[in-house]
Amino acid sequence: TFADSIVQLRSELRISQKELAEQLDVYQKDISRWETGERVPSAIALAEICRILKASADDILELK
């Protein structure tokens, strides 16, 4: 799932939720909510997540 992809990629890069939140200028709680599937990021945030986690939107959204 989208949530699992974020967790996996973030873990592989050894980036904490807090670090990712700081880079995205969002609250750590937002990252937690995305990773549990409670919420989804905006398109702009998704683009930044892709850049930071060095993955394509297709990979993160599992469109391949």
Side-chain angles (χ1 to χ4, degrees):
T1 66
F2 168 77
D4 294 331
S5 295
I6 293 178
V7 173
Q8 180 182 355
L9 290 166
R10 186 178 57 73
S11 296
E12 287 173 5
L13 293 174
R14 296 186 177 161
I15 297 172
S16 69
Q17 283 186 349
K18 181 179 179 184
E19 291 169 327
L20 183 57
E22 288 172 353
Q23 291 183 47
L24 292 169
D25 196 28
V26 299
Y27 295 107
Q28 183 176 346
K29 188 73 176 171
D30 293 324
I31 306 298
S32 176
R33 287 177 176 148
W34 297 340
E35 290 185 355
T36 62
E38 185 179 333
R39 300 233 172 127
V40 294
S42 68
I44 293 170
L46 176 60
E48 283 298 301
I49 290 167
C50 291
R51 183 186 62 75
I52 293 165
L53 298 181
K54 300 176 177 130
S56 71
D58 286 349
D59 290 338
I60 290 179
L61 297 173
E62 298 181 350
L63 297 177
K64 289 185 183 179

